[in-house]
Amino acid sequence: MKISLSTLEDVNDPELQTYLDELKKRKEQAQVCNNEEVANAYWREIEAIELNITFIKCFGHLKAKQYRTAWNLLERCEINCKFLIENSTTEFQKKKRVSFIQEFIVKFQSLFPYCVFVSPGFKVGFYTCGICGHKVRPRSRCKHKKGKVYNGQLCLHEGHELEPIEISIVDKPVQKYSVMHDDSTLDFSLLDYLMEVLNCAFEYWDYVKTKMSFPRERFATFTSDDLCPCKSGSYFKDCCESKSEIEIPHIDFIFTKEIPDDKEKIKFPY
């Protein structure tokens, strides 16, 4: 069965779910017969389809300005990409858009204003293999490798006897969903602009980070005790307040299609 998978309408098509259910049934049959090669092939196909579905849903939430939900879905895509890439060929990754999605996860994430996260720390009593249940020890390991697929099942290590130790505030979290910010206080204008131009989750786009200078009078709303608009982290009075021109971060977006003239204009963020 050939399916179209590019839009939210495609994602919500009942035929897609029927197709997925059939693939899962065939994978289970291969697992029962211990036909590992076939079971693994079905695992890859199912995971690739579900990755595409999640990425399309994420794009839909970005278009709807539901940024926290989109951020969480990007993390799910990131995790799925990691395991698919570890268990598939480069050709498969290109054909199923895994490579594309991996590239654009990073690009989308880089435009979010999130920078403070919660990171919980745990003491783990022991781990067991998710495939065979073997208790993992430094000198006693089973034949299964974490992150690899065996007979259509992904091997993960399961933690037991978890004991909470600490909660840290970090800027590079293991769990990206643990955002501390209140979204209502943040500036999502870069994503707003981008999503006004994009129409499809699989359009190509890129950006270049640069800087632009503006006359000092453009920053009349800034007081001496405000943080400097140049993003140095210093107060305005200690940084750029006395300058005739102030240089601020700027992003040039690159699209492969023509965009309306009003989208070509430089947007002054203050």
Side-chain angles (χ1 to χ4, degrees):
M1 175 182 176
K2 186 174 181 180
I3 59 170
S4 175
L5 192 51
S6 298
T7 67
L8 284 173
E9 288 74 18
D10 297 332
V11 167
N12 295 323
D13 187 341
E15 287 191 15
L16 174 60
Q17 189 57 55
T18 301
Y19 180 59
L20 271 173
D21 290 341
E22 180 61 27
L23 289 178
K24 292 174 182 178
K25 186 184 299 183
R26 292 183 183 182
K27 186 189 79 168
E28 290 171 1
Q29 291 170 348
Q31 288 173 316
V32 170
C33 298
N34 288 317
N35 192 337
E36 184 167 39
E37 185 177 346
V38 173
N40 289 351
Y42 279 124
W43 178 88
R44 284 189 289 271
E45 188 70 22
I46 292 165
E47 289 294 312
I49 292 172
E50 291 183 341
L51 171 64
N52 275 262
I53 288 172
T54 304
F55 188 70
I56 292 168
K57 286 181 177 179
C58 171
F59 186 83
H61 286 294
L62 286 170
K63 291 288 282 186
K65 300 187 179 183
Q66 297 165 346
Y67 292 123
R68 184 66 63 94
T69 302
W71 174 264
N72 292 339
L73 290 179
L74 282 172
E75 182 182 30
R76 282 179 53 189
C77 289
E78 187 176 10
I79 295 168
N80 290 354
C81 275
K82 174 186 174 183
F83 292 130
L84 263 171
I85 289 169
E86 192 167 346
N87 292 281
S88 63
T89 64
T90 302
E91 182 182 357
F92 178 90
Q93 293 158 28
K94 290 181 179 178
K95 182 180 179 181
K96 301 298 182 179
R97 297 172 173 160
V98 178
S99 303
F100 179 96
I101 293 172
Q102 182 194 35
E103 176 184 352
F104 282 87
I105 287 169
V106 177
K107 289 181 180 179
F108 276 121
Q109 287 175 334
S110 68
L111 298 179
F112 277 78
Y114 300 147
C115 57
V116 181
F117 305 84
V118 173
S119 180
F122 293 90
K123 179 181 178 182
V124 182
F126 63 95
Y127 290 97
T128 56
C129 171
I131 300 291
C132 65
H134 179 81
K135 192 171 182 178
V136 180
R137 300 182 180 91
R139 296 186 181 181
S140 176
R141 294 179 178 273
C142 62
K143 65 179 181 179
H144 304 114
K145 182 179 178 182
K146 184 171 70 173
K148 288 291 185 179
V149 174
Y150 299 90
N151 198 27
Q153 181 180 349
L154 180 66
C155 178
L156 297 173
H157 286 177
E158 300 172 3
H160 302 269
E161 298 178 0
L162 273 63
E163 179 184 338
I165 297 177
E166 63 179 2
I167 295 180
S168 303
I169 307 301
V170 299
D171 59 356
K172 294 180 180 179
V174 175
Q175 310 96 341
K176 289 190 173 72
Y177 64 84
S178 56
V179 179
M180 285 196 66
H181 299 278
D182 175 357
D183 283 12
S184 65
T185 67
L186 299 178
D187 178 12
F188 291 92
S189 57
L190 290 174
L191 286 167
D192 287 342
Y193 172 81
L194 176 64
M195 300 313 297
E196 287 174 1
V197 175
L198 298 181
N199 295 315
C200 172
F202 300 104
E203 286 184 62
Y204 182 86
W205 59 273
D206 205 346
Y207 69 85
V208 178
K209 288 187 175 181
T210 62
K211 290 188 175 182
M212 292 193 71
S213 294
F214 293 91
R216 166 66 180 82
E217 54 265 26
R218 297 286 295 273
F219 302 88
T221 59
F222 279 78
T223 68
S224 297
D225 294 324
D226 287 333
L227 290 176
C228 191
C230 77
K231 304 297 183 182
S232 65
S234 300
Y235 290 111
F236 196 27
K237 62 186 176 184
D238 300 324
C239 195
C240 298
E241 187 174 21
S242 61
K243 294 180 180 179
S244 60
E245 288 195 344
I246 298 175
E247 194 174 59
I248 63 173
H250 176 73
I251 286 185
D252 278 328
F253 283 100
I254 302 166
F255 301 103
T256 56
K257 64 180 183 181
E258 290 189 9
I259 62 174
D261 290 341
D262 63 313
K263 300 300 179 187
E264 291 278 11
K265 296 179 180 177
I266 294 172
K267 289 192 173 183
F268 182 68
Y270 301 112

